[in-house]
PDB file of all heavy atoms in Angstrom:
ATOM      1  N   PRO P  31     149.529  91.275  98.284  1.00 93.00           N
ATOM      2  CA  PRO P  31     148.915  91.877  97.096  1.00 93.00           C
ATOM      3  C   PRO P  31     149.852  92.853  96.381  1.00 93.00           C
ATOM      4  O   PRO P  31     150.557  93.624  97.013  1.00 93.00           O
ATOM      5  CB  PRO P  31     147.702  92.634  97.647  1.00 93.00           C
ATOM      6  CG  PRO P  31     147.477  92.086  98.993  1.00 93.00           C
ATOM      7  CD  PRO P  31     148.793  91.599  99.498  1.00 93.00           C
ATOM      8  N   SER P  32     149.866  92.778  95.053  1.00 93.00           N
ATOM      9  CA  SER P  32     150.643  93.691  94.227  1.00 93.00           C
ATOM     10  C   SER P  32     149.688  94.722  93.637  1.00 93.00           C
ATOM     11  O   SER P  32     148.909  94.418  92.726  1.00 93.00           O
ATOM     12  CB  SER P  32     151.347  92.920  93.113  1.00 93.00           C
ATOM     13  OG  SER P  32     151.904  93.810  92.182  1.00 93.00           O
ATOM     14  N   GLU P  33     149.756  95.942  94.159  1.00 95.00           N
ATOM     15  CA  GLU P  33     148.848  96.997  93.688  1.00 95.00           C
ATOM     16  C   GLU P  33     149.131  97.367  92.231  1.00 95.00           C
ATOM     17  O   GLU P  33     148.217  97.719  91.489  1.00 95.00           O
ATOM     18  CB  GLU P  33     148.960  98.221  94.582  1.00 95.00           C
ATOM     19  CG  GLU P  33     148.360  98.011  95.958  1.00 95.00           C
ATOM     20  CD  GLU P  33     148.357  99.272  96.796  1.00 95.00           C
ATOM     21  OE1 GLU P  33     148.478 100.371  96.221  1.00 95.00           O
ATOM     22  OE2 GLU P  33     148.218  99.141  98.016  1.00 95.00           O
ATOM     23  N   HIS P  34     150.395  97.288  91.842  1.00 96.00           N
ATOM     24  CA  HIS P  34     150.739  97.647  90.459  1.00 96.00           C
ATOM     25  C   HIS P  34     150.148  96.637  89.470  1.00 96.00           C
ATOM     26  O   HIS P  34     149.681  97.023  88.390  1.00 96.00           O
ATOM     27  CB  HIS P  34     152.261  97.719  90.292  1.00 96.00           C
ATOM     28  CG  HIS P  34     152.683  98.241  88.959  1.00 96.00           C
ATOM     29  ND1 HIS P  34     152.407  99.529  88.541  1.00 96.00           N
ATOM     30  CD2 HIS P  34     153.331  97.661  87.927  1.00 96.00           C
ATOM     31  CE1 HIS P  34     152.880  99.715  87.321  1.00 96.00           C
ATOM     32  NE2 HIS P  34     153.452  98.587  86.923  1.00 96.00           N
ATOM     33  N   ALA P  35     150.153  95.355  89.835  1.00 96.00           N
ATOM     34  CA  ALA P  35     149.573  94.333  88.958  1.00 96.00           C
ATOM     35  C   ALA P  35     148.071  94.564  88.807  1.00 96.00           C
ATOM     36  O   ALA P  35     147.529  94.451  87.702  1.00 96.00           O
ATOM     37  CB  ALA P  35     149.841  92.939  89.517  1.00 96.00           C
ATOM     38  N   ILE P  36     147.409  94.917  89.899  1.00 96.00           N
ATOM     39  CA  ILE P  36     145.968  95.203  89.844  1.00 96.00           C
ATOM     40  C   ILE P  36     145.720  96.427  88.968  1.00 96.00           C
ATOM     41  O   ILE P  36     144.809  96.435  88.130  1.00 96.00           O
ATOM     42  CB  ILE P  36     145.397  95.423  91.257  1.00 96.00           C
ATOM     43  CG1 ILE P  36     145.488  94.125  92.063  1.00 96.00           C
ATOM     44  CG2 ILE P  36     143.954  95.903  91.193  1.00 96.00           C
ATOM     45  CD1 ILE P  36     145.132  94.272  93.515  1.00 96.00           C
ATOM     46  N   TYR P  37     146.564  97.455  89.123  1.00 97.00           N
ATOM     47  CA  TYR P  37     146.435  98.675  88.314  1.00 97.00           C
ATOM     48  C   TYR P  37     146.553  98.358  86.832  1.00 97.00           C
ATOM     49  O   TYR P  37     145.742  98.825  86.018  1.00 97.00           O
ATOM     50  CB  TYR P  37     147.512  99.683  88.735  1.00 97.00           C
ATOM     51  CG  TYR P  37     147.808 100.720  87.689  1.00 97.00           C
ATOM     52  CD1 TYR P  37     146.930 101.769  87.441  1.00 97.00           C
ATOM     53  CD2 TYR P  37     148.966 100.644  86.920  1.00 97.00           C
ATOM     54  CE1 TYR P  37     147.190 102.707  86.473  1.00 97.00           C
ATOM     55  CE2 TYR P  37     149.234 101.584  85.952  1.00 97.00           C
ATOM     56  CZ  TYR P  37     148.351 102.608  85.727  1.00 97.00           C
ATOM     57  OH  TYR P  37     148.608 103.542  84.750  1.00 97.00           O
ATOM     58  N   LEU P  38     147.562  97.544  86.458  1.00 97.00           N
ATOM     59  CA  LEU P  38     147.758  97.205  85.049  1.00 97.00           C
ATOM     60  C   LEU P  38     146.587  96.405  84.492  1.00 97.00           C
ATOM     61  O   LEU P  38     146.175  96.606  83.351  1.00 97.00           O
ATOM     62  CB  LEU P  38     149.057  96.416  84.875  1.00 97.00           C
ATOM     63  CG  LEU P  38     150.347  97.211  85.018  1.00 97.00           C
ATOM     64  CD1 LEU P  38     151.546  96.287  84.938  1.00 97.00           C
ATOM     65  CD2 LEU P  38     150.444  98.296  83.970  1.00 97.00           C
ATOM     66  N   SER P 115     146.069  88.834  93.589  1.00 95.00           N
ATOM     67  CA  SER P 115     146.257  90.004  94.469  1.00 95.00           C
ATOM     68  C   SER P 115     144.912  90.608  94.861  1.00 95.00           C
ATOM     69  O   SER P 115     144.724  91.013  96.009  1.00 95.00           O
ATOM     70  CB  SER P 115     147.115  91.066  93.776  1.00 95.00           C
ATOM     71  OG  SER P 115     148.414  90.580  93.560  1.00 95.00           O
ATOM     72  N   GLN P 119     143.631  90.763  98.626  1.00 92.00           N
ATOM     73  CA  GLN P 119     143.333  92.074  99.210  1.00 92.00           C
ATOM     74  C   GLN P 119     141.952  92.073  99.856  1.00 92.00           C
ATOM     75  O   GLN P 119     141.731  92.744 100.864  1.00 92.00           O
ATOM     76  CB  GLN P 119     143.436  93.156  98.136  1.00 92.00           C
ATOM     77  CG  GLN P 119     143.697  94.528  98.676  1.00 92.00           C
ATOM     78  CD  GLN P 119     144.124  95.487  97.608  1.00 92.00           C
ATOM     79  OE1 GLN P 119     143.713  95.366  96.456  1.00 92.00           O
ATOM     80  NE2 GLN P 119     144.934  96.451  97.962  1.00 92.00           N
TER      81      GLN P 119
END
Side-chain angles (χ1 to χ4, degrees):
S32 170
E33 289 185 19
H34 187 64
I36 295 172
Y37 159 75
L38 287 175
S115 295
Q119 203 166 31

